[in-house]
Amino acid sequence: MRKWTGPTAGARAAVVAAVAAVLALAGCESPGTLHDAGPARQIAEHPSPQPLWPAAATSAPATPRAESDAPPPSPLPGLPAPAGGLVQLDARAVLLHDPALTDLEHRALSGDCTRCTVQPAQYRDLSGDGRPELITAVLTAEADGRAVLHVYGERDGKVVPVLAVGANAAFTADTVGRDLVLHEPDGPTARTSSTYRWNAVRMAFVDRQTVYTGPADGAAGCPTPEPTVPAARPTPTPTRPGGVVIGPDGRPLGRSAAPSPVPTLPTRQR
């Protein structure tokens, strides 16, 4: 019998050449070195909601009312925009020059309405021109459970109203990027969100969605389901060799039924 003595020198050389070719095709480098895989892909950033004011006191739900997109807004009379932008204006100063304010809003400004409040001015760039708009709201919760959200912009050195929308006095508002989102409670288990976006003239209505959160726990007519407990799996009865059943105390209880004997078939012989 011939004894195998391993691969020949030619075979070993062929293996080494094949491994080197594979490493070259795979772009492998020696251990500990860095490999440049090219520039990393940029990750798109999604804007997150930025609250304008804390949640207001709850009141009766109501359907929001938005002004029509026509005619184009007119500048507020007697109120020029400061050289430094609207960030230098106070909310009350701007509202007092707005001829479109309701009587209840004027009562709130004059202090003649109990529990009526004016939200402090917030400044966000909603038009994308680098100049922040002024956002405020007048809440007349005691009188009618309502509120009016106002947004003012700057155009040609003048202050222009670009949005006035009625809402529930319990509303909250966010700016998501350059979108203004108005949230209103719609009963105890739902919320309606309305989105407004700049359309080169004013903030225009874009979309409205109602999110249902389901029945409240413990509410009448909404029973709370009982927790389900999985059934215990039966424990096999221990037996001793010979078919004797063992009880909980370890004593034999009796003999189990013996399994039926399996008949043995005769082996055919040729």
Side-chain angles (χ1 to χ4, degrees):
M1 177 181 297
R2 184 178 179 181
K3 186 177 181 181
W4 185 74
T5 58
T8 62
R12 289 195 297 271
V15 172
V16 172
V19 172
V22 172
L23 293 177
L25 291 176
C28 297
E29 299 180 0
S30 58
T33 59
L34 296 177
H35 175 66
D36 186 5
R41 292 184 299 175
Q42 295 184 353
I43 300 176
E45 296 184 359
H46 299 280
S48 58
Q50 302 295 323
L52 292 172
W53 306 286
T58 58
S59 63
T63 303
R65 300 188 307 268
E67 289 187 349
S68 173
D69 289 342
S74 300
L76 299 184
L79 183 64
L86 300 185
V87 294
Q88 297 183 353
L89 293 178
D90 179 71
R92 289 178 176 269
V94 177
L95 291 169
L96 286 172
H97 287 81
D98 192 344
L101 254 62
T102 64
D103 292 339
L104 278 176
E105 290 181 283
H106 279 292
R107 289 175 54 189
L109 289 172
S110 63
D112 190 26
C113 176
T114 308
R115 290 182 54 204
C116 293
T117 57
V118 177
Q119 297 284 22
Q122 299 290 326
Y123 307 95
R124 307 286 171 87
D125 183 9
L126 302 176
S127 60
D129 61 357
R131 295 175 297 181
E133 277 68 39
L134 185 152
I135 310 171
T136 185
V138 181
L139 281 65
T140 55
E142 181 179 299
D144 61 354
R146 301 289 295 166
V148 182
L149 176 68
H150 294 273
V151 182
Y152 298 92
E154 180 184 351
R155 182 183 303 163
D156 299 328
K158 299 179 181 180
V159 181
V160 180
V162 295
L163 178 66
V165 56
N168 188 308
F171 84 95
T172 57
D174 302 324
T175 54
V176 184
R178 295 208 303 262
D179 287 353
L180 176 63
V181 185
L182 181 67
H183 308 287
E184 298 181 86
D186 191 5
T189 60
R191 186 182 73 168
T192 299
S193 298
S194 304
T195 302
Y196 299 86
R197 185 175 301 159
W198 184 255
N199 68 353
V201 177
R202 56 159 49 90
M203 297 297 294
F205 173 78
V206 175
D207 182 46
R208 179 170 298 142
Q209 295 181 349
T210 300
V211 178
Y212 295 92
T213 58
D217 293 339
C222 302
T224 303
E226 296 292 337
T228 57
V229 180
R233 299 180 61 181
T235 304
T237 304
T239 59
R240 286 182 177 176
V244 178
V245 180
I246 306 302
D249 56 355
R251 298 181 180 180
L253 299 178
R255 186 175 298 275
S256 62
S260 303
V262 179
T264 302
L265 299 178
T267 304
R268 296 182 60 184
Q269 297 181 355
R270 299 180 61 182

